[in-house]
Amino acid sequence: MPELPELQAHAERLSEQFGGREIAGFRPLAFTTLKTFSPDPALTHGHTLTGVSRRGKYLILHTDLLLDTGATDEGASPVSFIVHLMQGGRLEPDEKQAAKPRGGLARWTFDDGPALLLTEPGSERKAGVWLGAGDLGAAPPLLDLGPDADVVSPDDLAGLLAGHPMRLHGFLRDQHIVAGIGRRLANEICHRAKLSPFAGTAKLDAGQIERLHAAIGSCIVDGLAEERERTSLSKSKERTSAVHNQVGEPCPVCGDAVRAVEYRAYTVAYCPTCQTGGKVLADNTTSKFLK
Ligand SMILES: [Zn+2]
C-alpha cells in the first residue's frame, strides 16, 4: 500500500498536472466507489480543481465549489473529493478515456486534456471516493485520523506512545494514532531507530523515543526525496528499503541477515543485531505450526 511519502509526492504531481483545470464531469464506474450521498458530485461540474493534497494515506482533490453544509457557523466552504487507493489502487492521468477501463472505479473529466482515472486491480473494490465540505476532519473517512507522521512533535509522540500501550510496529501502523505509516515504513522506522518491532510502546525511555521520532522523520524525508524523482506512483518493490522485502539479505548497517515474523497479511522484517540485541524472534507461522 502506498504510504505518506509516495502519496505526498503523487499529490504534488497531480496538483501540478491537474490544478487549475475545469471539471467537466465526475462519474463513478463501479457501484461501490462513491461512499457519500451528499454533496452531489455533479455540483462540481464547471468548477475548478484547485489542487491536490494529502492527509494520512488519503488524497484530497480540492475544488472551488462553495457549499454551505450548515455543519459550521462559517458559512460556505469549498467541496473536496477524498480518495483512498487502498492496496493497489491508482489515480492516474487517463488519455484514452476508454468506455470500460480495466479496474476502473471513477473518472474525472476536464474541459480539455486527459481525464483522471481511479482504478483498482482485482475484484476487491475497496478503494473509494468521498465528498466533503468544510472541516474534512470532522467526518468520515478522515474522522479520528491521528496526526500526520511527518508533523508529529517529539512531545506529542511521547504522549501517544504512553497513551497506547502496545507493540511498536502495530502502533506505527494504526492510522487512528499516527497517520501515513504502513507496513514498509513501520519496518524501516523500527530498523533505523534500532528498536524491536515488538517493543512495548509505553516502556520506551526518553532516548529511545528521541531515536524513534528522528527515524520517523528521516525515513519519510528519504522516501519523499526518492518519490519526487518519479513520474508516477512507485510499486512497493521499487522503494529503497533496508529490511522491508529484504528478508534473508544482509542488513545494510551491520551485515547480519534480515529476519522475518510472518503474519497472514504482512511480514515484520527486522535485523536481530541492530534491533533485538541479537535475539531471533519466534516466527509466528512456524510457532503456530509447532503447536
Ligand atoms: Zn543490522
Side-chain angles (χ1 to χ4, degrees), residues 190-191 193-196 251 253-254 256 271-278:
C190 291
H191 177 257
K194 296 193 183 297
L195 292 170
S196 166
C251 163
V253 174
C254 73
D256 191 2
C271 167
T273 298
C274 289
Q275 296 176 257
T276 58

Side-chain angles (χ1 to χ4, degrees), residues 51 61 124 184 247 259:
L61 281 59
E124 289 213 56
R184 188 190 80 87
V247 176
R259 307 275 182 154

Side-chain angles (χ1 to χ4, degrees), residues 96-290:
K96 286 198 284 187
Q97 301 190 34
K100 285 186 181 170
R102 193 182 183 87
L105 294 186
R107 179 186 277 138
W108 291 256
T109 53
F110 298 90
D111 57 337
D112 64 57
L116 196 48
L117 180 66
L118 175 65
T119 58
E120 188 179 19
S123 54
E124 289 213 56
R125 302 292 153 108
K126 283 181 174 172
V129 177
W130 292 255
L131 263 86
D135 180 9
L136 299 179
L142 305 185
L143 183 72
D144 295 336
L145 220 50
D148 269 306
D150 58 340
V151 296
V152 72
S153 71
D155 282 352
D156 287 347
L157 181 64
L160 290 169
L161 288 162
H164 298 87
M166 59 197 292
R167 288 168 164 184
L168 180 56
H169 200 275
F171 170 92
L172 291 170
R173 286 183 293 109
D174 189 331
Q175 302 304 300
H176 301 301
I177 304 175
V178 183
I181 299 172
R183 298 162 195 171
R184 188 190 80 87
L185 272 181
N187 282 333
E188 294 300 303
I189 289 166
C190 291
H191 177 257
R192 197 171 287 192
K194 296 193 183 297
L195 292 170
S196 166
F198 300 115
T201 50
K203 292 177 184 158
L204 297 178
D205 64 32
Q208 290 173 320
I209 294 173
E210 199 175 306
R211 289 209 310 271
L212 178 63
H213 185 265
I216 292 171
S218 69
C219 283
I220 290 174
V221 165
D222 288 357
L224 195 48
E226 193 170 293
E227 288 300 315
R228 280 179 174 150
E229 297 296 315
R230 302 183 193 278
T231 53
S232 67
L233 206 59
S234 63
K235 295 189 180 73
S236 169
K237 290 203 161 55
E238 297 169 343
R239 297 165 199 154
T240 305
S241 303
V243 291
H244 187 75
N245 281 339
Q246 305 293 323
V247 176
E249 298 294 321
C251 163
V253 174
C254 73
D256 191 2
V258 173
R259 307 275 182 154
V261 179
E262 302 273 356
Y263 290 89
R264 197 198 311 225
Y266 63 97
T267 299
V268 173
Y270 69 100
C271 167
T273 298
C274 289
Q275 296 176 257
T276 58
K279 192 177 157 216
V280 174
L281 305 169
D283 185 306
N284 229 33
T285 340
T286 320
S287 342
K288 243 187 243 159
F289 183 69
L290 289 173

